[in-house]
Short mmCIF file of all heavy atoms in Angstrom, two decimals:
data_model
loop_
_atom_site.label_atom_id
_atom_site.label_comp_id
_atom_site.label_asym_id
_atom_site.label_seq_id
_atom_site.Cartn_x
_atom_site.Cartn_y
_atom_site.Cartn_z
N VAL A 1 10.66 -5.37 -0.78
CA VAL A 1 10.80 -5.77 -2.17
C VAL A 1 12.28 -5.52 -2.59
O VAL A 1 13.02 -4.93 -1.87
CB VAL A 1 9.88 -4.88 -3.10
CG1 VAL A 1 8.45 -5.12 -2.81
CG2 VAL A 1 10.19 -3.37 -2.95
N THR A 2 12.61 -6.00 -3.81
CA THR A 2 13.96 -5.71 -4.27
C THR A 2 14.03 -4.30 -4.83
O THR A 2 13.01 -3.68 -5.14
CB THR A 2 14.30 -6.74 -5.46
OG1 THR A 2 13.43 -6.47 -6.56
CG2 THR A 2 14.23 -8.15 -4.97
N ILE A 3 15.20 -3.81 -4.95
CA ILE A 3 15.39 -2.45 -5.56
C ILE A 3 14.88 -2.40 -6.95
O ILE A 3 14.23 -1.46 -7.38
CB ILE A 3 16.87 -1.97 -5.42
CG1 ILE A 3 17.28 -1.74 -4.04
CG2 ILE A 3 17.11 -0.75 -6.35
CD1 ILE A 3 18.77 -1.37 -3.82
N GLN A 4 15.13 -3.46 -7.74
CA GLN A 4 14.61 -3.52 -9.06
C GLN A 4 13.11 -3.46 -9.09
O GLN A 4 12.59 -2.67 -9.93
CB GLN A 4 15.04 -4.89 -9.75
CG GLN A 4 16.58 -4.91 -10.02
CD GLN A 4 17.27 -5.44 -8.76
OE1 GLN A 4 16.81 -5.48 -7.63
NE2 GLN A 4 18.58 -5.72 -9.04
N ARG A 5 12.45 -4.18 -8.23
CA ARG A 5 10.93 -4.14 -8.19
C ARG A 5 10.49 -2.71 -7.83
O ARG A 5 9.56 -2.19 -8.36
CB ARG A 5 10.40 -5.20 -7.30
CG ARG A 5 8.91 -5.14 -7.23
CD ARG A 5 8.33 -6.28 -6.47
NE ARG A 5 6.85 -6.26 -6.53
CZ ARG A 5 6.11 -7.24 -6.17
NH1 ARG A 5 6.56 -8.34 -5.65
NH2 ARG A 5 4.75 -7.12 -6.22
N LEU A 6 11.18 -2.13 -6.86
CA LEU A 6 10.78 -0.78 -6.40
C LEU A 6 10.87 0.17 -7.54
O LEU A 6 10.04 1.01 -7.74
CB LEU A 6 11.75 -0.35 -5.25
CG LEU A 6 11.56 1.05 -4.75
CD1 LEU A 6 10.28 1.18 -3.96
CD2 LEU A 6 12.76 1.47 -3.91
N LEU A 7 11.98 0.11 -8.35
CA LEU A 7 12.17 1.03 -9.40
C LEU A 7 11.12 0.87 -10.45
O LEU A 7 10.46 1.87 -10.98
CB LEU A 7 13.56 0.88 -10.02
CG LEU A 7 14.67 1.37 -9.14
CD1 LEU A 7 16.04 0.97 -9.74
CD2 LEU A 7 14.65 2.84 -8.84
N VAL A 8 10.81 -0.36 -10.82
CA VAL A 8 9.81 -0.64 -11.92
C VAL A 8 8.44 -0.22 -11.40
O VAL A 8 7.71 0.48 -12.15
CB VAL A 8 9.78 -2.18 -12.25
CG1 VAL A 8 8.60 -2.53 -13.17
CG2 VAL A 8 11.09 -2.51 -12.94
N GLU A 9 8.03 -0.58 -10.17
CA GLU A 9 6.73 -0.19 -9.69
C GLU A 9 6.61 1.32 -9.58
O GLU A 9 5.56 1.87 -10.03
CB GLU A 9 6.51 -0.75 -8.27
CG GLU A 9 6.13 -2.23 -8.25
CD GLU A 9 5.88 -2.69 -6.88
OE1 GLU A 9 5.84 -1.93 -5.91
OE2 GLU A 9 5.56 -3.87 -6.72
N SER A 10 7.60 1.98 -9.10
CA SER A 10 7.53 3.46 -8.97
C SER A 10 7.44 4.12 -10.30
O SER A 10 6.65 5.06 -10.46
CB SER A 10 8.82 3.93 -8.25
OG SER A 10 8.87 3.39 -6.96
N ALA A 11 8.16 3.63 -11.28
CA ALA A 11 8.15 4.25 -12.58
C ALA A 11 6.80 4.04 -13.33
O ALA A 11 6.30 4.95 -13.96
CB ALA A 11 9.26 3.76 -13.46
N LEU A 12 6.24 2.83 -13.18
CA LEU A 12 5.03 2.52 -13.96
C LEU A 12 3.79 2.89 -13.20
O LEU A 12 2.71 2.92 -13.80
CB LEU A 12 5.03 1.01 -14.24
CG LEU A 12 6.15 0.55 -15.17
CD1 LEU A 12 6.09 -0.98 -15.35
CD2 LEU A 12 6.17 1.28 -16.47
N ALA A 13 3.87 3.24 -11.92
CA ALA A 13 2.65 3.54 -11.14
C ALA A 13 2.12 4.92 -11.50
O ALA A 13 0.91 5.19 -11.31
CB ALA A 13 2.96 3.52 -9.67
N GLY A 14 2.90 5.84 -12.01
CA GLY A 14 2.46 7.19 -12.26
C GLY A 14 2.09 7.84 -10.98
O GLY A 14 2.79 7.86 -10.02
N SER A 15 0.88 8.45 -10.92
CA SER A 15 0.40 9.10 -9.69
C SER A 15 -0.27 8.19 -8.69
O SER A 15 -0.59 8.56 -7.62
CB SER A 15 -0.60 10.30 -10.11
OG SER A 15 -1.70 9.66 -10.72
N ARG A 16 -0.49 6.94 -9.19
CA ARG A 16 -1.12 5.97 -8.25
C ARG A 16 -0.03 5.39 -7.27
O ARG A 16 1.12 5.45 -7.60
CB ARG A 16 -1.66 4.69 -9.05
CG ARG A 16 -2.73 5.13 -9.96
CD ARG A 16 -3.04 3.94 -10.85
NE ARG A 16 -1.75 3.46 -11.39
CZ ARG A 16 -1.62 2.57 -12.30
NH1 ARG A 16 -2.69 2.02 -12.81
NH2 ARG A 16 -0.42 2.23 -12.74
N PRO A 17 -0.50 4.99 -6.05
CA PRO A 17 0.47 4.38 -5.20
C PRO A 17 1.01 3.06 -5.75
O PRO A 17 0.33 2.34 -6.51
CB PRO A 17 -0.30 4.12 -3.93
CG PRO A 17 -1.73 4.38 -4.19
CD PRO A 17 -1.84 4.98 -5.60
N THR A 18 2.28 2.71 -5.44
CA THR A 18 2.89 1.45 -5.90
C THR A 18 2.24 0.34 -5.13
O THR A 18 1.49 0.54 -4.10
CB THR A 18 4.30 1.45 -5.67
OG1 THR A 18 4.59 1.49 -4.23
CG2 THR A 18 5.09 2.58 -6.35
N VAL A 19 2.46 -0.92 -5.56
CA VAL A 19 1.83 -2.06 -4.92
C VAL A 19 2.31 -2.03 -3.45
O VAL A 19 1.53 -2.29 -2.50
CB VAL A 19 2.29 -3.37 -5.66
CG1 VAL A 19 1.93 -4.55 -4.80
CG2 VAL A 19 1.69 -3.37 -7.00
N THR A 20 3.61 -1.76 -3.25
CA THR A 20 4.17 -1.80 -1.91
C THR A 20 3.56 -0.73 -1.00
O THR A 20 3.11 -1.04 0.08
CB THR A 20 5.70 -1.52 -1.97
OG1 THR A 20 6.29 -2.48 -2.85
CG2 THR A 20 6.34 -1.68 -0.65
N VAL A 21 3.41 0.46 -1.45
CA VAL A 21 2.80 1.56 -0.71
C VAL A 21 1.36 1.26 -0.51
O VAL A 21 0.81 1.39 0.61
CB VAL A 21 2.99 2.92 -1.38
CG1 VAL A 21 2.22 3.96 -0.69
CG2 VAL A 21 4.52 3.26 -1.38
N GLY A 22 0.70 0.76 -1.59
CA GLY A 22 -0.73 0.38 -1.46
C GLY A 22 -1.03 -0.63 -0.41
O GLY A 22 -2.01 -0.54 0.34
N LYS A 23 -0.15 -1.64 -0.25
CA LYS A 23 -0.31 -2.67 0.76
C LYS A 23 -0.24 -2.05 2.16
O LYS A 23 -1.07 -2.35 3.02
CB LYS A 23 0.73 -3.78 0.62
CG LYS A 23 0.53 -4.71 -0.49
CD LYS A 23 1.61 -5.71 -0.55
CE LYS A 23 1.57 -6.59 -1.79
NZ LYS A 23 2.70 -7.52 -1.83
N ASP A 24 0.72 -1.16 2.38
CA ASP A 24 0.88 -0.51 3.66
C ASP A 24 -0.35 0.31 3.98
O ASP A 24 -0.85 0.34 5.10
CB ASP A 24 2.16 0.33 3.72
CG ASP A 24 3.43 -0.52 3.68
OD1 ASP A 24 3.36 -1.74 3.95
OD2 ASP A 24 4.50 0.06 3.35
N GLN A 25 -0.85 1.08 2.94
CA GLN A 25 -2.05 1.91 3.16
C GLN A 25 -3.28 1.03 3.43
O GLN A 25 -4.09 1.42 4.23
CB GLN A 25 -2.20 2.83 1.97
CG GLN A 25 -1.14 3.88 1.94
CD GLN A 25 -1.30 4.72 0.62
OE1 GLN A 25 -1.90 4.32 -0.34
NE2 GLN A 25 -0.65 5.90 0.64
N LEU A 26 -3.35 -0.07 2.70
CA LEU A 26 -4.50 -0.97 2.93
C LEU A 26 -4.48 -1.52 4.38
O LEU A 26 -5.50 -1.53 5.00
CB LEU A 26 -4.37 -2.08 1.87
CG LEU A 26 -5.57 -3.12 1.92
CD1 LEU A 26 -6.89 -2.41 1.61
CD2 LEU A 26 -5.31 -4.19 0.92
N VAL A 27 -3.31 -1.90 4.81
CA VAL A 27 -3.25 -2.42 6.23
C VAL A 27 -3.66 -1.33 7.24
O VAL A 27 -4.49 -1.55 8.13
CB VAL A 27 -1.82 -2.90 6.52
CG1 VAL A 27 -1.68 -3.18 8.02
CG2 VAL A 27 -1.51 -4.18 5.76
N ALA A 28 -3.22 -0.09 6.98
CA ALA A 28 -3.65 0.99 7.86
C ALA A 28 -5.16 1.22 7.80
O ALA A 28 -5.80 1.46 8.85
CB ALA A 28 -2.89 2.28 7.57
N LEU A 29 -5.68 1.23 6.57
CA LEU A 29 -7.10 1.46 6.42
C LEU A 29 -7.91 0.39 7.09
O LEU A 29 -8.97 0.66 7.67
CB LEU A 29 -7.51 1.61 4.95
CG LEU A 29 -7.06 3.00 4.38
CD1 LEU A 29 -7.19 2.98 2.86
CD2 LEU A 29 -7.83 4.13 4.95
N MET A 30 -7.44 -0.81 6.95
CA MET A 30 -8.16 -1.97 7.55
C MET A 30 -8.19 -1.86 9.08
O MET A 30 -9.19 -2.13 9.71
CB MET A 30 -7.55 -3.28 7.08
CG MET A 30 -7.67 -3.61 5.67
SD MET A 30 -9.37 -3.71 5.04
CE MET A 30 -9.74 -5.37 5.56
N GLU A 31 -7.09 -1.30 9.66
CA GLU A 31 -7.05 -1.13 11.11
C GLU A 31 -8.09 -0.03 11.52
O GLU A 31 -8.78 -0.14 12.49
CB GLU A 31 -5.63 -0.74 11.53
CG GLU A 31 -5.51 -0.37 13.03
CD GLU A 31 -5.83 -1.45 13.95
OE1 GLU A 31 -5.88 -2.66 13.56
OE2 GLU A 31 -6.06 -1.18 15.18
N ILE A 32 -8.08 1.08 10.73
CA ILE A 32 -9.05 2.11 10.98
C ILE A 32 -10.47 1.59 10.89
O ILE A 32 -11.32 1.93 11.69
CB ILE A 32 -8.84 3.30 9.97
CG1 ILE A 32 -7.54 4.01 10.27
CG2 ILE A 32 -9.98 4.33 10.06
CD1 ILE A 32 -7.08 4.97 9.21
N ARG A 33 -10.70 0.77 9.91
CA ARG A 33 -12.08 0.19 9.71
C ARG A 33 -12.43 -0.65 10.95
O ARG A 33 -13.61 -0.68 11.39
CB ARG A 33 -12.04 -0.67 8.46
CG ARG A 33 -13.43 -1.12 8.02
CD ARG A 33 -13.33 -2.06 6.80
NE ARG A 33 -14.27 -1.74 5.81
CZ ARG A 33 -14.34 -2.34 4.63
NH1 ARG A 33 -13.46 -3.23 4.38
NH2 ARG A 33 -15.29 -2.06 3.80
N ARG A 34 -11.50 -1.39 11.47
CA ARG A 34 -11.68 -2.22 12.63
C ARG A 34 -12.03 -1.34 13.82
O ARG A 34 -12.99 -1.66 14.62
CB ARG A 34 -10.47 -3.08 13.00
CG ARG A 34 -10.61 -4.11 14.09
CD ARG A 34 -9.32 -4.69 14.55
NE ARG A 34 -8.44 -3.69 15.17
CZ ARG A 34 -8.58 -3.25 16.37
NH1 ARG A 34 -9.64 -3.54 17.14
NH2 ARG A 34 -7.73 -2.34 16.85
N VAL A 35 -11.32 -0.24 14.02
CA VAL A 35 -11.61 0.61 15.13
C VAL A 35 -13.02 1.31 14.99
O VAL A 35 -13.82 1.41 15.95
CB VAL A 35 -10.50 1.76 15.22
CG1 VAL A 35 -10.95 2.84 16.21
CG2 VAL A 35 -9.20 1.14 15.65
N LEU A 36 -13.32 1.67 13.73
CA LEU A 36 -14.61 2.17 13.43
C LEU A 36 -15.73 1.22 13.75
O LEU A 36 -16.82 1.62 14.23
CB LEU A 36 -14.70 2.63 11.93
CG LEU A 36 -16.02 3.25 11.54
CD1 LEU A 36 -16.28 4.56 12.24
CD2 LEU A 36 -15.95 3.58 10.03
N ALA A 37 -15.50 -0.07 13.44
CA ALA A 37 -16.51 -1.14 13.82
C ALA A 37 -16.70 -1.12 15.31
O ALA A 37 -17.82 -1.28 15.78
CB ALA A 37 -16.02 -2.44 13.31
N GLY A 38 -15.67 -0.96 16.10
CA GLY A 38 -15.76 -0.88 17.57
C GLY A 38 -16.58 0.25 17.95
O GLY A 38 -17.43 0.14 18.89
N VAL A 39 -16.35 1.43 17.37
CA VAL A 39 -17.13 2.55 17.72
C VAL A 39 -18.60 2.39 17.34
O VAL A 39 -19.47 2.73 18.15
CB VAL A 39 -16.58 3.82 16.89
CG1 VAL A 39 -17.58 5.03 17.08
CG2 VAL A 39 -15.22 4.19 17.43
#
């Protein structure tokens, strides 16, 4: 993202994860879910 977007998201997100962080966490969780499906 741009620095401007990073600053706006970070300031307005409060204690919630920003869109950027949320996407990364979502990708990680989806991978865990895939592994869990294999188990």
Side-chain angles (χ1 to χ4, degrees):
V1 296
T2 62
I3 290 176
Q4 292 84 348
R5 181 172 184 169
L6 174 72
L7 291 172
V8 169
E9 283 183 2
S10 298
L12 297 179
S15 62
R16 297 171 309 190
T18 64
V19 170
T20 305
V21 171
K23 286 180 187 176
D24 293 342
Q25 290 173 341
L26 182 61
V27 168
L29 286 169
M30 295 298 279
E31 175 63 16
I32 292 169
R33 190 184 224 179
R34 186 191 66 74
V35 170
L36 180 61
V39 170

